Amino acid sequence: MKVLVIGATGGSGRAAVAELVRRGHNVTALSRHGSSLTGPQVRGVDGDATDAAVLDALVPCHDAVVVTLGITEPAMRVRLRGPSGTAPDVRSRGTRTVAAAMRHHGVRRLVVQTSYGVGGTRARLDLVTRLVFALVLKPQIADTEVQARELHASGLDWVEVQPMYLTDGPRYSADGAPDAPHITLDGSIRERKVSRRAVAQVLADAVERDDYVGKTLSVSGAPALTSPSRR
């Protein structure tokens, strides 16, 4: 398949590109510094995900689009001063622009990474996380809520992926195998932390699997994780 990954140079975007390539897909990687990812099976493109002209040029000839937009600056700085290099509504505006281009060009599969704790999983948050969302991440969570609504109303074959706290890993299961994601449809979780590599597996699955269409996937980590034994 030909897959367009938007927000491709962030942690989740890079992991998604790597996983899609590992599975044999051809990837177009869009971000402000997307050309840094050019390599085998990857075409990196520098561009703004909120620019309709950029999306109109890239979306045709792709089978699916994966959106991993976000603000990579420190959360407290963003809360106090706003982001310096990214639009504060990049998630919702980018997703809206992508969806419009997809509808125009007849591309159906849209996979979007949001955040656990928006929409239907909001009620499952513990008190500490609620406070963090309200005091530190309020603008970003508000934009993610809008992003999720834009996705659900897109009229496309959408899949929403909601990871718990993301880590860069690597993490391993008790038998030394790479971290595997725990996926639910009812919002239940296991480990609160999950590696970006594990979430990338879910994003790639959502590109490939028809049974995920129209669903919100909650993604957490495996229940018992240790370092791999040395042999």
Side-chain angles (χ1 to χ4, degrees):
M1 296 174 69
K2 295 180 179 179
V3 184
L4 173 60
V5 177
I6 296 175
T9 54
S12 295
R14 287 179 181 272
V17 169
E19 179 64 18
L20 288 163
V21 168
R22 188 187 70 81
R23 298 187 186 198
H25 300 296
N26 293 305
V27 177
T28 301
L30 173 67
S31 79
R32 287 176 297 170
H33 307 289
S35 58
S36 65
L37 294 179
T38 297
Q41 295 174 240
V42 180
R43 177 170 70 103
V45 177
D46 295 337
D48 183 349
T50 66
D51 187 330
V54 170
L55 272 299
D56 193 58
L58 287 179
V59 165
C61 301
H62 286 90
D63 301 300
V65 180
V66 176
V67 175
T68 59
L69 290 169
I71 299 173
T72 59
E73 300 169 54
M76 186 56 73
R77 183 202 179 284
V78 172
R79 183 69 174 98
L80 296 175
R81 301 172 57 188
S84 62
T86 307
D89 61 347
V90 64
R91 294 174 176 87
S92 61
R93 184 146 57 103
T95 300
R96 186 184 313 122
T97 306
V98 170
M102 292 177 67
R103 287 192 297 267
H104 180 70
H105 293 287
V107 179
R108 298 294 307 168
R109 184 63 55 89
L110 176 57
V111 179
V112 176
Q113 177 179 309
T114 60
S115 176
Y116 188 89
V118 302
T121 55
R122 188 186 311 112
R124 289 180 171 268
L125 293 177
D126 58 61
L127 178 59
V128 172
T129 303
R130 288 173 184 267
L131 289 172
V132 171
F133 276 22
L135 299 176
V136 180
L137 298 175
K138 184 176 181 179
Q140 299 189 57
I141 293 300
D143 188 45
T144 307
E145 293 274 9
V146 177
Q147 178 188 35
R149 291 196 294 270
E150 292 280 353
L151 175 64
H152 295 184
S154 67
L156 299 170
D157 296 337
W158 60 266
V159 184
E160 182 182 358
V161 176
Q162 291 192 349
M164 287 295 295
Y165 298 120
L166 290 165
T167 70
D168 290 321
R171 302 177 78 218
Y172 299 85
S173 62
D175 62 0
D179 184 14
H182 177 69
I183 306 166
T184 66
L185 299 177
D186 63 1
S188 60
I189 61 169
R190 290 187 179 177
E191 288 288 317
R192 294 169 61 84
K193 295 181 179 180
V194 60
S195 72
R196 287 182 171 86
R197 290 192 310 178
V199 175
Q201 295 174 40
V202 182
L203 294 170
D205 285 345
V207 166
E208 298 172 342
R209 293 178 52 166
D210 292 339
D211 59 324
Y212 280 164
V213 170
K215 295 177 181 177
T216 297
L217 311 179
S218 298
V219 186
S220 55
L225 301 172
T226 62
S227 298
S229 59
R230 296 186 180 274
R231 300 181 186 275

